Amino acid sequence: MRRRIAILGSTGSIGTQALEVIREHPNKFEVEVLTAQANYKLLIEQAREFKPNAVVIGNDKHYSLVAEALEADMIKVYAGEQAISQIVEMDSIDMILVALVGFSGLKPTLNAIEAKKQLAIANKETFVVAGDMVTKKAREKAVNLYPVDSEHSAIFQCLAGESESTVEKIYLTASGGPFRGMNEEELRHVTKDQALKHPNWDMGCKITIDSASMMNKGFEVIEAKWLFNLRPEQIEVIIHPQSIIHSIVQFNDGSMKAQMSLPDMKMPIQYALAYPHRIKSRFQRFNFIDYPELTFEKPDSKNFRNLALAYKALEKGGNLPCVLNAANEIMVKAFLRGKVGFLQMSDIIEQCMAEIDFIRGPSLDDYMETDRVTRIRAEELIK
Ligand code: MN
């Protein structure tokens, strides 16, 4: 039986790489649903190749173009944000890959859990904003959440066959990004083009900026807490510039397990889509002789303050991680448009965290409202 996959965000970096994995394994997977926000041309191309049952185009002004293009293939076409959230309930879907960016992933993820679908989650912001709610609901509905983030996939792989209670701590590795080792003065003047050149990983725009600013790692600390049920002090970030060790679990006898491979997002994507099976791949193999040195450093949280802000949000909880995420989304967009400097991003995020009303046990509506008011405040602070 082939596993029937829905990909939310099929035209993004994770979405296209997931389709590469599926293309390599036509006897293991079939594409049931594809969704895209605005890139209707690529969505049409993907639909013609993979013949899903249905597609959704988020931006409904492209609806008629997509519908016309796919009419002959008998593919159902829907449009709008609402349709992306609802399509996850379709009976014929076995597993959903959530490859949306930012806060937009939350509602479809909650709906998918409600519909008892197995979930591969690449959208870390969902855990950052509402990890508490998402993991609780997943437990209630007996839905498994499979990590697609490479570090979390590494932890997940290291935990196979182990009992959760024997985990002492985990080390999340970080490449350090393109600005590793820079001082405050240098960081003040870095440009978006420099930030967009990640040394090891080929990723989307948002996450590449988050990697340069270390916010990505901060988010991953929060993501790890919820995925693996850990306390903040059990999660440590270690800089590992070669990105070969993707993360490490330390057990209560002092033994450590690490997962290693060349950096390629298709590896964790494939592991999640095929779980619990490990399937053969043609990914390039690691060669020790090419890497005579694997090195490790302490993260610089003085100049890269986002990591400290994320730990603060995690420790305080409530709607604070939601504030962190919303302010960061606005900052990344502003940085890409040249409206704020690199260091200013952390300043404004910190200010939003101090100003926005704290809510201890937020409901979904509280999260929506926190997201909304934080975005407005962050925009004001740019001016
Ligand atoms: Mn990652």
Side-chain angles (χ1 to χ4, degrees), residues 313 316-321 323 353-361 370:
K316 201 154 174 220
N319 63 339
L320 205 56
V323 173
M353 287 171 70
E355 283 183 15
I356 303 294
D357 288 334
F358 181 69
I359 305 170
R360 189 161 303 280
T370 298

Side-chain angles (χ1 to χ4, degrees), residues 221-250:
V221 169
I222 302 178
E223 182 183 13
K225 182 223 149 66
W226 293 114
L227 273 172
F228 306 114
N229 193 22
L230 300 164
R231 297 184 308 278
E233 63 273 20
Q234 287 178 292
I235 310 167
E236 189 169 332
V237 172
I238 186 90
I239 303 290
H240 167 45
Q242 298 82 17
S243 298
I244 296 299
I245 294 182
H246 300 306
S247 277
I248 299 146
V249 178
Q250 178 177 306

Side-chain angles (χ1 to χ4, degrees), residues 32-35 51-56 75-78 87 90:
E32 195 59 21
V33 171
L34 295 173
T35 85
K51 305 275 187 279
N53 193 335
V55 303
V56 184
I75 296 166
K76 295 185 208 90
V77 178
Y78 304 98
I87 198 90
M90 215 161 87

Side-chain angles (χ1 to χ4, degrees), residues 24 56 61 71 75 123 126 135 163 177 207 224 255-256 328 381:
E24 285 284 313
V56 184
K61 76 173 189 224
E71 204 179 352
I75 296 166
N123 176 237
T126 287
T135 49
S163 134
I207 187 175
S255 174
M256 296 165 113
N328 182 61
L381 289 169

